[in-house]
Amino acid sequence: MDLERELLKGNTPTLVLAVLREGPLHGYAIAREIERRSDQALRCKEGTLYPALHALEREGLIEGEWREENGRERKVYLLTPAGHAALVNRTQLWARFSTAIERVIGPEPDVLVERPGPRLSPGSRPEPAV
Amino acid sequence: MPHQLQATEEDRNAHLEDYLDRVVTPLMDDVPRARRRELRAELSAHLEALIEAHIELGSTPEEAVAAAIRQFGSPRQVGKQWLREWRREQPAGLRSALHTARIGLLCFLPASLFAWCANSAAIAVGSSAVGGLLVLNTLLFPITAGLITGMLSRTRHGFGALLGCSGAALLCAILGALEGIPELVEARHFPFAALAMTQMVFWLPLAAAAGAIGGRLRHGARAALGRWASDLALSLK
């Protein structure tokens, strides 16, 4: 669904920062951790993780370094102090935003609540309020 | 390794390399080779891990490669999105070209004024000095000015240097026409006058080529400086 994809795309940097809070990880491990924590609910095209990683690295919120792991060189990302601060800000922002959205949406709309009002026959116009 | 397994391994590597080529090749005009190589290595490691995970789940190597690539996304989209982020940290094309043009004018105007003075002095001294100095002007000054422009420029290619050189060359051509060429003609140094008239034509390609080389040198120097600084920081820790 396009809306879900857009929501995930916009929040990918925050998810990356949250995952890296626990320790340095490479791109593949970041994708797996996001899937695991979200119970498979958040799955994106994994190649799109790399533009987000590049943007975060450019902003100084993470830094990458090449390390050898199981005989293979991999680029691992670590959260910087600025990244920690950004994560705190984004978490607070997300909490405020999601609370506001929930207030507007209200309870889950699985039942249509019918409001009382005059029944109109087809073609008739409601009388103006006096 | 048995022949069939080896063929499968080769097919898998070819498929993977083909995917990576399609991601990285469109970046060639904008991204330096070292950075492209690094990105390719990073994506390759991720894809290899995905392929191994799919094989562990029971897929054949061909199915695993196809599944991993599907899970990774369209190579065009991956490359395009990465390039968009890369370009955000680079100065905008036109702005950097104009910045380079301003640097170019600053480099070329002194060079051309010096050349003009040198020509006038040579004409006053005698014909042998005029010939030598004109050849020197034609080659040395545009190359030096273009090289300096490219090294100070923010554009990776020589386009900005070309822009700067075009403006400076036009200005110098007017100066030369107003002053140097009539003097040469009056002194009957016709071949040198003809050379002076065509001088500005040579300046443009020489300066642009030197500007492009200067830009390359700048990128190489910046990368080397960055590596030196990080090595120094590591050694001080």
Side-chain angles (χ1 to χ4, degrees), chain A residues 7 35-36 50 57 77 96-97 110 120 127 130:
Chain A
L7 283 171
E35 265 183 30
R36 187 190 68 80
Y50 289 90
E57 205 175 3
Y77 294 92
R96 284 199 301 272
F97 180 73
D110 53 351
L120 302 175
E127 290 178 3
V130 175

Side-chain angles (χ1 to χ4, degrees), chain B residues 53-75:
Chain B
H54 280 286
I55 289 174
E56 276 176 23
L57 288 172
S59 301
T60 63
E62 295 86 5
E63 288 167 351
V65 171
I69 285 173
R70 262 197 316 274
Q71 199 170 336
F72 212 69
S74 147

Side-chain angles (χ1 to χ4, degrees), chain A residues 63-83:
Chain A
E63 59 186 22
E65 60 184 39
W66 286 89
R67 291 184 188 176
E68 195 173 316
E69 189 183 283
N70 300 329
R72 181 158 195 156
E73 286 278 316
R74 290 198 120 124
K75 189 169 181 182
V76 160
Y77 294 92
L78 307 88
L79 202 58
T80 63

Side-chain angles (χ1 to χ4, degrees), chain B residues 83-100:
Chain B
L83 187 58
R84 194 183 308 139
E85 286 305 326
W86 169 265
R87 281 184 177 147
R88 283 204 180 127
E89 70 183 87
Q90 308 304 313
L94 181 61
R95 277 207 308 272
S96 63
L98 288 176
H99 169 79
T100 306

